Amino acid sequence: MKLLDTLHRWTGGLIGLVLALMGLSGTILLYEHLWIGFPGTGDPLRGDLTTVAATTEKLMATPGAQGIIYADARFGLHQLRFAEGEGAYASQSGEIVTRWASQWERPELWIFDFHHHLFAGDNGEWVIGIAGLCGLFFVISGVILWWRTRKTFQFRLWPKRMSRPAIVMHHRDLGVVVAPLLLISIVTGTMMIFRPFALGVVAPFGPVAETAKALDPPKYSGGPLAEKPDYTAMLTEARRRFPDAEFRILSLPRKDGDPIGLRMKQPAEWLPNGRTTLAFDAATGEVLGARDALALPSGAQAFNMAFPIHAGKVGGWAWRIILTISGLSLTMLGSFAVWSFWFKRPKPAKRAVKKAALAST
């Protein structure tokens, strides 16, 4: 138990700040649709084929446009994507509302980049993934260590005083209360970064090999991008195949031979941008392949639920409030763990007296 206690304290001291920042940034992102204050953010969704097709043709005619994240029921603006972090918000009729030259001009974009990549791309993802695994150990070991002192349990939202013993007691008791929420947030977040971990979590839902194969999108090849792709024809064919699905993301190919991609969301899907996909030949607009997310193996469908659970995209306000409690608790626990470990540690003389007192009992 002494070794577990030491590992728990060092884990908190070394990785607590990363976990605290993840909790804070994640909590802010839960409400991003409320503080992007441009005209049209609250407009009702107009998802009919005629409107979406006309707006797509208009927006994709903008020089340098590389794709669209379509408006949804919660956020009424389309997001137009360009190269090198450039972008724009546009109304559902195709009028540009605002445009930016870098993600640093839009707080929701750089906070998202920080939360997912620590501003460091794939390397940042690795750091976050390792922090997630440490956080998982942190929660489980904390509950085990709490059991010894369960008779002194006192629930407080804030430490009784800012002394090390009071902080440790608050950390211990608050941690055990929010442990189930932290497990959900940490597990679902880590699933999106480390594929082997995710496959282990969803293994009860189906064969791992089958799930792994389904999570890798099929590859298609076609001709070079046409000078003026017929987006209306593509969207019409997509709506014919999936009549109840919403249009979510349109993406142009990154290099010659790649297809034009379209993601859709069917009503039964939890993932906000859906995993129902179509690939169109960039030269001719012909369908190269389509994938129905509802026909994927059960393991893959379980994996697709991780992000909406983690990001509060399901469950309405009730679940978002629960995730807010989880995020703020993680922020508090992580920051206090670092502070008490590095700045509130007892001095060597006091530690010696404490050891002597323990030895004499």
Side-chain angles (χ1 to χ4, degrees):
M1 194 65 72
K2 183 178 179 180
L3 175 61
L4 185 64
D5 181 70
T6 300
L7 291 174
H8 181 87
R9 288 188 291 106
W10 275 93
T11 300
L14 294 175
I15 212 72
L17 184 59
V18 175
L19 293 174
L21 292 173
M22 290 300 99
L24 180 60
S25 58
T27 302
I28 294 172
L29 290 172
L30 287 172
Y31 301 95
E32 64 173 334
H33 63 289
L34 298 178
W35 47 263
I36 300 176
F38 293 110
T41 57
D43 288 352
L45 179 63
R46 296 159 59 191
D48 61 281
L49 177 61
T50 301
T51 299
V52 176
T55 301
T56 300
E57 296 283 3
K58 183 176 182 178
L59 292 178
M60 292 304 291
T62 307
Q66 295 187 346
I68 301 172
I69 300 176
Y70 291 103
D72 59 18
R74 190 155 63 168
F75 187 70
L77 297 177
H78 299 309
Q79 182 179 333
L80 190 58
R81 299 190 294 184
F82 300 90
E84 302 298 330
E86 293 184 50
Y89 286 132
S91 69
Q92 294 182 57
S93 59
E95 303 298 326
I96 300 295
V97 174
T98 187
R99 186 165 178 170
W100 57 89
S102 166
Q103 72 169 11
W104 304 110
E105 298 179 27
R106 295 302 316 154
E108 68 273 14
L109 298 182
W110 64 257
I111 293 174
F112 181 89
D113 187 29
F114 175 80
H115 187 75
H116 286 253
H117 307 288
L118 291 178
F119 303 140
D122 292 340
N123 293 330
E125 280 196 359
W126 273 93
V127 174
I128 292 174
I130 293 171
L133 295 177
C134 291
L136 188 59
F137 167 78
F138 200 47
V139 173
I140 295 173
S141 61
V143 173
I144 295 173
L145 292 169
W146 170 85
W147 185 254
R148 300 176 304 170
T149 60
R150 61 190 182 279
K151 293 182 180 180
T152 64
F153 173 82
Q154 291 183 350
F155 177 70
R156 286 189 175 92
L157 294 177
W158 193 259
K160 187 175 182 179
R161 61 183 66 88
M162 298 310 291
S163 63
R164 188 175 187 277
I167 291 173
V168 170
M169 180 177 292
H170 167 266
H171 177 96
R172 179 187 63 209
D173 293 339
L174 177 64
V176 78
V177 171
V178 299
L181 304 182
L182 295 179
L183 281 177
I184 293 173
S185 296
I186 292 172
V187 168
T188 53
T190 308
M191 283 176 65
M192 291 180 282
I193 296 176
F194 286 148
R195 180 65 62 83
F197 178 81
L199 292 174
V201 173
V202 302
F205 297 93
V208 172
E210 186 179 68
T211 301
K213 183 179 179 180
L215 293 179
D216 292 326
K219 295 182 179 180
Y220 304 100
S221 60
L225 182 65
E227 183 176 349
K228 189 177 181 181
D230 190 347
Y231 298 110
T232 299
M234 297 179 199
L235 296 175
T236 301
E237 175 61 19
R239 179 55 58 85
R240 185 188 70 81
R241 293 190 179 220
F242 303 103
D244 297 326
E246 297 178 14
F247 300 111
R248 293 307 308 128
I249 301 178
L250 177 72
S251 303
L252 293 187
R254 295 185 177 182
K255 62 180 186 296
D256 285 347
D258 285 351
I260 294 174
L262 178 65
R263 285 178 63 170
M264 304 182 75
K265 177 184 180 296
Q266 300 186 69
E269 292 186 68
W270 283 19
L271 199 66
N273 287 327
R275 195 68 77 179
T276 297
T277 58
L278 294 96
F280 299 92
D281 190 308
T284 65
E286 296 180 0
V287 177
L288 298 175
R291 173 180 269 194
D292 183 348
L294 302 182
L296 294 175
S298 55
Q301 294 194 43
F303 172 81
N304 288 338
M305 294 178 181
F307 175 74
I309 291 173
H310 182 82
K313 302 298 184 181
V314 292
W317 278 100
W319 183 244
R320 203 172 304 142
I321 290 172
I322 290 173
L323 288 178
T324 300
I325 296 172
S326 176
L328 294 179
S329 297
L330 183 59
T331 302
M332 187 182 301
L333 292 169
S335 56
F336 278 166
V338 172
W339 190 39
S340 63
F341 184 82
W342 293 108
F343 304 107
K344 284 287 185 177
R345 299 179 71 180
K347 296 180 180 180
K350 291 184 178 180
R351 288 201 298 266
V353 171
K354 184 178 179 181
K355 287 183 179 179
L358 291 173
S360 63
T361 59

